[in-house]
Amino acid sequence: MSELYLRDFGALDDTMREQLFSIREELRLRGIRMLKHQRTEGGVRVQYQCRGYQGELVVAWDDMQQELSSLFSFSPAPPQT
């Protein structure tokens, strides 16, 4: 793979890691703890605890992809045949 692509993926990985850290920090400040998260066929399921109450959040892959695209302004290249 081209060095340029590897650098781009490295930068994207760093950006995503920073975003995840800031999200977790924001959750912690608001008193929300992520207890468990798992990938499912339809999306991502997160179990959380907020002020003693436990809840669950399910995010569909389509919704997540749309949100990430708007955050990173990244559109994958079409597959080559």
Side-chain angles (χ1 to χ4, degrees), residues 3-19:
E3 182 70 30
L4 178 63
Y5 285 124
L6 291 175
R7 251 186 289 140
D8 284 347
F9 284 132
L12 181 60
D13 187 45
D14 291 343
T15 303
M16 290 175 62
R17 214 172 270 147
E18 289 170 7
Q19 289 279 335

Side-chain angles (χ1 to χ4, degrees), residues 21-74:
F21 179 78
S22 67
I23 289 169
R24 286 183 185 235
E25 181 67 18
E26 185 71 27
L27 289 172
R28 188 185 66 76
L29 291 173
R30 295 177 186 268
I32 301 170
R33 256 181 68 207
M34 287 178 32
L35 302 174
K36 181 179 175 184
H37 64 278
Q38 67 184 44
R39 293 180 184 190
T40 64
E41 197 172 300
V44 176
R45 172 173 289 157
V46 177
Q47 293 176 351
Y48 64 91
Q49 183 176 13
C50 179
R51 298 186 179 125
Y53 296 97
Q54 291 190 3
E56 184 174 282
L57 173 68
V58 178
V59 180
W61 287 119
D62 292 338
D63 295 338
M64 190 179 308
Q65 182 180 14
Q66 188 176 32
E67 182 68 23
L68 289 172
S69 294
S70 68
L71 282 174
F72 296 113
S73 300
F74 174 77

